[in-house]
Amino acid sequence: MTVLEAVILGIVQGLTEFLPVSSSGHLLLAANFLGVGQLGLGFELVCHLGTLAAIIIVMRREVWDIARKPLAKPMRLIVTASVPTAIIAGLISVLFRDALYGNMLVYCFIITGILLLCCGFAANKTAPKPLTYPHAAIIGAAQGIAALPGLSRSGATIAAATILGYPRKQAARFSFLISIPVIVGSSIVEIAFNGIGGGIDAPALIAALISSFISGLVAVKFMLKLLEKHSLDGFAIYLMLLSVFMLLNDYVLHIF
């Protein structure tokens, strides 16, 4: 992998980690388009570390408050969401391993688009309301299901929260917060079993880390600003069009 390819893939990861279009699905598409083959988990880990740094910087006040009061309700809500995430994502990795390589990608894109449309139909209240533990668990379950490539983690969690009656911006902030333990946990597991890098040269890894960090910063700030006044319908339309293109492309390839 060249440094330029690593930069492009890092940008894709950083943007799509927080835009509701599925980072894992778009990384698979970008890797195929660039001809770099299947990305190793070590490379994805480096990109995730870049997006982790981005979310911590943008939400540093919330992160600091939670760190200072680890037994307060905000931390308990995050733990409540993280438990079903870990259980469901773990089951998917064992029972649906083939799906992790993109076998269901186009159908998961379609499901994500439908979820985003449902989010648009939900009334967008402006005043935040207290998040309950059962709702946190439901949002965490949505995050776990989004372990499937093509199902957007941010899209699934924001849609779940808005359908449950929370304002879009509040839903996004909680979605971004509960991504932190997921990224940290998966990073620890990956480092423990496979190390960092997966045989990719250090310059490419550094380039991917920096580009995912910068694009992640842009994506988080963009999403928080966007959701103040706008729905996610545009992303839903994009995913539907992308799915149609992928289905038609696959159909044409089968003919010829």
Side-chain angles (χ1 to χ4, degrees):
M1 180 185 298
T2 67
V3 170
L4 178 59
E5 289 169 341
V7 168
I8 293 172
L9 292 170
I11 291 173
V12 171
Q13 165 64 32
L15 291 177
T16 57
E17 178 69 31
F18 303 111
L19 301 182
V21 294
S22 176
S23 61
S24 56
H26 278 74
L27 267 184
L28 286 171
L29 291 179
N32 288 334
F33 178 78
L34 293 173
V36 297
Q38 184 177 313
L39 295 175
L41 292 177
F43 178 82
E44 293 184 26
L45 165 64
V46 169
C47 291
H48 279 127
L49 292 177
T51 56
L52 174 63
I55 193 64
I56 290 175
I57 288 177
V58 173
M59 305 195 68
R60 56 191 177 275
R61 291 181 181 177
E62 290 95 331
V63 172
W64 175 244
D65 288 342
I66 292 170
R68 287 193 304 116
K69 302 175 182 178
L71 299 179
K73 185 178 180 181
M75 176 60 87
R76 296 199 300 269
L77 287 169
I78 291 174
V79 172
T80 301
S82 299
V83 170
T85 295
I87 294 173
I88 295 173
L91 289 174
I92 287 175
S93 67
V94 173
L95 300 177
F96 302 98
R97 180 169 294 275
D98 288 344
L100 298 179
Y101 298 103
N103 293 351
M104 298 171 56
L105 189 58
V106 64
Y107 305 106
C108 290
F109 277 148
I110 293 172
I111 293 172
T112 298
I114 293 172
L115 286 174
L116 297 181
L117 290 176
C118 291
C119 175
F121 291 137
N124 183 35
K125 301 175 182 178
T126 55
K129 68 174 187 177
L131 180 62
T132 66
Y133 293 107
H135 286 176
I138 292 172
I139 297 168
Q143 180 171 244
I145 297 171
L148 291 169
L151 281 179
S152 167
R153 188 206 62 79
S154 61
T157 51
I158 293 173
T162 54
I163 291 170
L164 291 170
Y166 297 93
R168 288 193 292 260
K169 189 170 182 178
Q170 181 186 5
R173 298 192 81 87
F174 186 67
S175 168
F176 296 156
L177 278 176
I178 63 175
S179 73
I180 295 175
V182 171
I183 297 174
V184 171
S186 61
S187 298
I188 291 172
V189 171
E190 174 58 26
I191 291 173
F193 286 94
N194 299 302
I196 297 178
I200 298 175
D201 293 338
L205 291 175
I206 294 172
L209 178 68
I210 294 173
S211 60
S212 63
F213 167 68
I214 295 173
S215 57
L217 280 177
V218 173
V220 175
K221 293 182 178 181
F222 172 77
M223 281 295 294
L224 292 175
K225 189 68 176 176
L226 175 76
L227 290 172
E228 289 180 356
K229 297 181 179 179
H230 302 284
S231 72
L232 300 175
D233 291 353
F235 295 106
I237 294 171
Y238 161 74
L239 287 172
M240 293 299 185
L241 291 175
L242 177 60
S243 301
V244 170
F245 173 79
M246 291 174 65
L247 288 170
L248 289 176
N249 185 62
D250 187 57
Y251 177 72
V252 171
L253 287 177
H254 274 87
I255 291 177
F256 294 99

